[in-house]
Amino acid sequence: AGNVWEWCSSLYKEYPYNPDDGREDPSKTGYRVIRGGGWDSLSLTLRCALRSYYDAGSYYPSYGFRCAKSHESNIIEDYNQTKGTE
């Protein structure tokens, strides 16, 4: 939260969340979820839990996305390697 509203891949649909209702299908069109508030938002809106929507084909300077990469790791194994034990 804070710098830009974060685009999410989900189509906007009312809660409760149901992953089988088509909202996670990237080929479907419609409004996409945005979260978190941006640099031009009121402080009240600067929180990750805030959820809204916007047309993904539109542009607004305070809408963006977060780059992330999964990392698969065995935490115990990594810890043991740093301590020199297995």
Side-chain angles (χ1 to χ4, degrees):
N3 193 25
V4 295
W5 283 88
E6 182 178 336
W7 282 110
C8 299
S9 60
S10 301
L11 286 171
Y12 183 84
K13 294 195 180 211
E14 295 295 323
Y15 283 134
Y17 178 79
N18 177 358
D20 299 323
D21 65 4
R23 71 179 75 202
E24 300 301 337
D25 184 347
S27 66
K28 297 225 175 182
T29 59
Y31 290 108
R32 298 285 170 180
V33 172
I34 56 175
R35 287 192 176 272
W39 57 269
D40 61 347
S41 300
L42 298 172
S43 61
L44 176 67
T45 66
L46 299 177
R47 56 193 191 96
C48 296
L50 184 68
R51 179 176 172 260
S52 190
Y53 60 90
Y54 209 73
D55 179 9
S58 300
Y59 167 80
Y60 194 75
S62 69
Y63 294 168
F65 61 93
R66 182 177 315 258
C67 296
K69 180 181 176 186
S70 321
H71 176 70
E72 294 183 23
S73 175
N74 182 330
I75 294 172
I76 302 297
E77 184 179 306
D78 291 347
Y79 176 78
N80 288 337
Q81 286 178 357
T82 62
K83 295 294 184 185
T85 61
E86 290 252 41

